[in-house]
């Protein structure tokens, strides 16, 4: 048997994708290597032939004329929905058996069902053997429902099949699920609130493989890495020991945490010591009433600014998510957020409209209140679309206000100021300037992106020059500054693409 496993292209650029490289003719790249396809590949029977495609790196033809595989397996998130379904239809038209699974199929099975011969919902580990046995026998059911498996039974992903040269970061998932209950979150609907964990030895084995494939940075693809303190300390100790044993070519890690990390100095020190020096945090909003209403209580225990300062002072860089459109947000929220963001030491904040993903408590409440708007299924993935009718402003006000906010906070001058503020906060008072300027390592690919970006105009050129000049005096923060500049290129690419995608042409309630 032959199987072609596909991670489809994203339908539009986002804060977290790396489409800018392909858009600027620098080759296909992805920010984080794909775990779904490589994990699925690990379950394929050994006598099968596997082809694995990540379209972020190697796009498939829009109209494939032929396909060698007997089975095409497609996975994906809501941000890949259109491409996923289009590919499925085309491979079915070629007579191939199409299996669709992953988070979007699990959360919106009714949308995917008409496009799949075999629909897989939920997590794969406990049902893979039965699924592949049925596929091999040529008699699969039309639906397989996964479970919430013990992750200690999850296999080593097949990184040997993956185009690793096209990914900025490798990926390891050390846990699934999150015990919090933010009302807009579909992660907990898909993966549950009981967090499940891999053993540190299992994670170290995955780390070894990624290291052999050339990765030196790894995304720990957890929903909330630090929420269980004892287990986080155990995992960090294993990562620290591994790095100590590989001091000549260590790994650096990034992950997702909740902001309460800032109240635990020991844990922040353990993160830094392990090489975990970059985190994404769902800041969501500075409107406390909105945080309370969304059930995001973990963000209420200290001021956001103090929390960010504490994390940065430990030498841990932060990127964050901001949501606009909660019921307590009036039209003044845009100016309030702009003020907060301009003062912030966090260059990259993924600002987007509140959406109500199907299956969430927010979706149920707004449906009951008649406040779900007519929107594409992908409104949950686009930063500039939404399926809600806000309470204290019109949908048009929300989306237009959001566009203005992004133009403001992502002007080159504003972004350059945030990089400077970041450098002041990063590492705390102990972080000294170098005695003499140090060269900033710039791989050719990043040099290409920055060259193209500097061609946008004098303001962009000045931002890059000032950022790189400041980084020469701060060797401890050079990687973060270079990365912030590269992320800026992606964000500008996303914002200009969003102009053509913006739903402002669509009637807004
Ligand atoms: S903290 Fe994050 S992962 Fe956990 S419920 Fe809230 S939004 Fe979801």
């Amino acid at each position: 048997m032959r199987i072609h496993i596909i991670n489809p292209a994203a339908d539009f650029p986002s804060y977290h994708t790396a489409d800018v490289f392909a858009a600027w003719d620098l080759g296909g790249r992805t920010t984080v290597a794909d775990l779904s396809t490589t994990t699925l590949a690990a379950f394929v029977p050994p006598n099968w032939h596997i082809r694995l495609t990540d379209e972020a790196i190697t796009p498939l033809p829009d109209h494939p004329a032929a396909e060698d595989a007997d089975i095409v397996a497609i996975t994906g998130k809501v941000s890949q929905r259109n491409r996923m379904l289009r590919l499925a239809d085309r491979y079915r038209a070629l007579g191939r058996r199409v299996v669709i699974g992953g988070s979007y199929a699990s959360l919106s099975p009714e949308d995917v069902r008409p496009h799949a011969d075999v629909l897989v919902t939920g997590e794969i580990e406990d049902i893979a053997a039965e699924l592949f046995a049925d596929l091999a026998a040529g008699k699969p059911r039309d639906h397989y429902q996964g479970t919430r498996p013990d992750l200690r039974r999850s296999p080593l992903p097949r990184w040997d099949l993956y185009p690793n040269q096209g990914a900025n970061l490798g990926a390891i998932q050390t846990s699934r699920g999150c015990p919090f209950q933010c009302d807009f979150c579909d992660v907990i609907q898909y993966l549950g609130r009981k967090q499940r964990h891999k053993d540190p030895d299992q994670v170290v084995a995955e780390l070894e493989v990624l290291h052999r494939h050339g990765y030196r940075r790894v995304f720990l693809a957890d929903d909330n890495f630090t929420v269980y303190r004892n287990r986080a300390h155990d995992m960090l100790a294993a990562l620290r020991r591994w790095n100590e044993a590989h001091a000549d070519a260590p790994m650096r890690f990034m992950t997702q945490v909740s902001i309460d990390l800032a109240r635990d100095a020991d844990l922040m020190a353990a993160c830094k010591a392990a090489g975990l020096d970059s985190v994404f945090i769902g800041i969501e909003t500075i409107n406390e009433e909105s945080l309370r209403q969304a059930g995001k209580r973990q963000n209420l225990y200290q001021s956001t600014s103090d929390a960010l300062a504490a994390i940065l002072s430990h030498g841990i860089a932060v990127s964050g998510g901001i949501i606009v459109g909660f019921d307590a947000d009036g039209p003044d929220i845009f100016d309030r957020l702009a003020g907060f963001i301009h003062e912030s030491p966090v260059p990259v904040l993924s600002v987007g409209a509140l959406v109500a993903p199907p299956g969430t408590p927010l979706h149920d409440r707004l449906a009951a209140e008649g406040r779900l708007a007519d929107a594409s299924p992908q409104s949950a993935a686009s930063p500039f679309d939404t399926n809600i009718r806000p309470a204290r402003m019109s949908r048009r006000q929300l989306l237009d206000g959001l566009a203005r906010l992004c133009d403001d906070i992502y002007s080159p001058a504003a972004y350059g100021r945030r990089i400077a503020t970041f450098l002041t906060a990063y590492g705390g008072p102990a972080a000294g300037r170098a005695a003499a300027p140090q060269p900033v390592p710039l791989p050719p690919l990043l040099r290409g992106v920055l060259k193209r970006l500097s061609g946008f105009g004098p303001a962009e050129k000045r931002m890059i020059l000032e950022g790189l000049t400041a980084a020469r005096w701060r060797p401890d923060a050079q990687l973060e500054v270079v990365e912030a500049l590269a992320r800026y290129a992606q964000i500008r690419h996303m914002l200009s693409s969003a102009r053509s995608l913006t739903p402002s042409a669509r009637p807004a309630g």
Side-chain angles (χ1 to χ4, degrees):
M1 291 287 269
R2 301 171 75 90
I3 185 168
H4 185 181
I5 303 176
I6 301 171
N7 182 41
D11 293 325
F12 36 75
S14 78
Y15 291 99
H16 307 293
T17 51
D19 331 65
V20 67
F21 290 95
W24 291 0
D25 296 326
L26 295 163
R29 286 200 77 71
T30 188
T31 311
V32 178
D34 183 59
L35 262 174
S36 306
T37 48
T38 48
T39 301
L40 179 66
F43 289 106
V44 175
N47 56 340
W48 288 30
H49 178 271
I50 306 173
R51 178 181 171 204
L52 191 152
T53 300
D54 187 338
E55 278 209 295
I57 300 169
T58 319
L60 292 164
D62 267 345
H63 294 277
E67 171 57 55
D68 290 341
D70 310 288
I71 295 161
V72 176
I74 308 178
T75 177
K77 303 183 278 291
V78 61
S79 54
Q80 298 159 289
R81 182 252 180 202
N82 288 351
R83 180 67 177 166
M84 180 191 327
L85 301 188
R86 201 160 51 234
L87 284 175
D89 292 347
R90 290 183 182 154
Y91 285 114
R92 286 178 99 192
L94 292 174
R96 300 296 168 251
R97 179 167 274 148
V98 169
V99 182
I100 308 184
S103 64
Y104 185 70
S106 301
L107 291 164
S108 299
E110 69 294 338
D111 189 33
V112 172
R113 175 70 275 174
H115 305 268
D117 297 300
V118 180
L119 174 67
V120 180
T121 49
E123 300 171 51
I124 188 74
E125 279 81 355
D126 288 340
I127 55 168
E130 183 191 10
L131 170 68
F132 282 108
D134 292 352
L135 286 169
K139 290 182 182 159
R141 299 201 306 271
D142 61 3
H143 181 208
Y144 292 79
Q145 174 61 54
T147 59
R148 300 229 163 110
D150 182 341
L151 293 193
R152 289 170 299 186
R153 292 202 300 276
S154 195
L156 263 171
R158 290 287 306 273
W159 294 114
D160 56 313
L161 299 171
Y162 191 77
N164 296 299
Q165 75 292 342
N168 294 344
L169 284 83
I172 301 176
Q173 192 171 45
T174 82
S175 72
R176 287 183 199 155
C178 173
F180 293 133
Q181 39 189 338
C182 310
D183 74 347
F184 53 81
C185 176
D186 57 359
V187 167
I188 49 178
Q189 308 306 324
Y190 176 43
L191 298 175
R193 290 186 53 219
K194 182 177 186 312
Q195 196 175 65
R196 292 157 288 137
H197 306 122
K198 286 182 183 167
D199 285 332
D201 288 351
Q202 203 180 350
V203 170
V204 164
E206 293 189 34
L207 191 54
E208 288 280 357
V209 173
L210 288 173
H211 196 256
R212 278 203 297 279
H213 281 293
Y215 290 103
R216 295 297 178 264
R217 298 201 74 201
V218 169
F219 179 61
L220 303 176
D222 296 33
D223 306 307
N224 192 337
F225 180 82
T226 49
V227 69
Y228 289 111
R229 299 299 197 243
N230 290 342
R231 108 81 215 187
H233 274 292
D234 288 350
M235 193 62 73
L236 290 166
L239 299 179
R240 178 177 51 74
R241 283 194 297 273
W242 190 92
N243 264 337
E244 285 167 358
H246 296 79
D248 52 331
M251 286 286 208
R252 297 176 71 171
F253 304 100
M254 80 163 291
T255 192
Q256 306 185 110
V257 299
S258 41
I259 203 163
D260 52 337
L261 169 66
R263 296 192 297 151
D264 191 332
D266 286 348
L267 189 54
M268 289 187 283
C271 287
K272 183 69 178 178
L276 200 177
D277 55 12
S278 180
V279 294
F280 176 89
I281 293 175
I283 295 169
E284 319 307 10
T285 182
I286 50 168
N287 187 341
E288 291 191 3
E289 184 49 35
S290 298
L291 290 172
R292 257 188 288 278
Q293 194 175 60
K296 192 116 196 172
R297 295 182 189 285
Q298 65 273 26
N299 286 34
L300 282 165
Y301 297 123
Q302 63 179 316
S303 95
T304 303
S305 301
D306 290 350
L308 296 176
I311 295 170
L312 281 156
S313 75
H314 281 80
I316 300 171
V318 177
S319 57
I322 298 275
I323 295 174
V324 194
F326 292 104
D327 283 5
D329 289 347
D332 63 327
I333 189 66
F334 302 106
D335 285 345
R336 290 175 61 196
L337 279 171
F340 166 76
I341 292 170
H342 284 311
E343 298 293 317
S344 158
V346 177
V348 178
L349 288 160
S350 46
V351 181
L354 178 70
V355 293
T360 59
L362 177 67
H363 190 275
D364 293 348
R365 177 169 71 81
L366 296 189
E369 293 173 8
R371 290 176 48 208
L372 288 178
D374 183 21
S376 74
Q378 280 175 304
S379 57
S382 163
F384 303 109
D385 198 358
T386 181
N387 62 346
I388 69 154
R389 295 183 196 282
R392 296 188 50 208
M393 60 184 126
S394 71
R395 193 155 159 256
R396 170 64 52 75
Q397 273 177 301
L398 170 60
L399 299 175
D400 288 353
L402 198 53
R404 276 197 309 277
L405 177 63
C406 285
D407 285 345
D408 179 16
I409 64 173
Y410 286 113
S411 72
Y415 198 77
R417 277 196 302 275
R418 288 210 295 288
I419 291 178
T421 310
F422 158 77
L423 282 172
T424 308
Y426 185 72
R433 284 166 61 91
Q438 307 289 314
V440 180
L442 266 186
L445 205 56
L446 288 181
R447 199 178 286 276
V449 164
L450 296 188
K451 188 167 173 226
R452 177 80 179 257
L453 183 60
S454 66
F456 278 30
E460 285 81 359
K461 203 170 184 170
R462 191 175 319 117
M463 178 194 74
I464 294 168
L465 191 66
E466 288 177 359
L468 292 179
T469 303
R472 294 185 74 199
W473 294 94
R474 288 291 302 273
D476 62 318
Q478 286 182 345
L479 185 77
E480 282 72 19
V481 172
V482 169
E483 200 162 280
L485 292 171
R487 292 284 302 271
Y488 184 77
Q490 171 65 26
I491 292 167
R492 284 290 296 269
H493 168 60
M494 179 199 76
L495 291 175
S496 69
S497 306
R499 297 272 177 261
S500 59
L501 291 167
T502 182
S504 54
R506 192 181 292 160

